[in-house]
Amino acid sequence: VANVSVSCTQIPLLALEYEPPRTQSFKTVEASLRVDALASAGFKISRSKLVNLISNGDVRVNWTTVTKNGTTLKTGDIVSVSGKGRLKIGEINSTKKGKFSVELIRYL
């Protein structure tokens, strides 16, 4: 700040007001916890298109670029796809038939 006088005051962290991110939560049943299966369900795109995005380096899990579509996800992982958005993996439960019931939280 070149020619303008600036003053700062310290405020407690709890006094900060922010708007929490808007999310949409839904459940899906998938045969595996692979990144291509869960991300295709979360972003409503086909697995083959998602495999192309992974090979192009457009898919990241916890802000690390994924190069293999067989990467296994766990609760709390964040999947982001360039141009599509961000997705958080919620609660994971097993079904009677051996599949996985997964809660997906999509950031809007």
Side-chain angles (χ1 to χ4, degrees):
V1 185
N3 298 326
V4 180
S5 61
V6 176
S7 64
C8 297
T9 57
Q10 185 175 1
I11 61 171
L13 189 60
L14 296 175
L16 290 177
E17 294 180 12
Y18 68 96
E19 183 177 333
R22 295 183 306 136
T23 59
Q24 175 188 10
S25 179
F26 55 95
K27 286 191 175 251
T28 183
V29 176
E30 295 296 326
S32 68
L33 297 175
R34 292 168 40 135
V35 66
D36 56 347
L38 293 179
S40 66
F43 294 113
K44 310 258 191 293
I45 56 177
S46 69
R47 283 176 78 160
S48 60
K49 286 183 182 178
L50 197 67
V51 169
N52 289 337
L53 290 171
I54 289 172
S55 63
N56 291 339
D58 292 334
V59 178
R60 290 175 301 283
V61 174
N62 296 330
W63 294 273
T64 303
T65 303
V66 174
T67 56
K68 297 186 295 186
N69 55 353
T71 304
T72 304
L73 299 177
K74 59 187 180 306
T75 300
D77 283 348
I78 295 179
V79 179
S80 55
V81 178
S82 297
K84 302 291 182 188
R86 192 172 292 150
L87 184 72
K88 183 175 183 179
I89 308 300
E91 186 178 355
I92 299 173
N93 296 315
S94 295
T95 64
K96 292 179 184 176
K97 295 186 177 183
K99 295 186 178 185
F100 299 98
S101 173
V102 182
E103 178 188 18
L104 299 175
I105 304 160
R106 185 168 179 189
Y107 293 94
L108 303 176

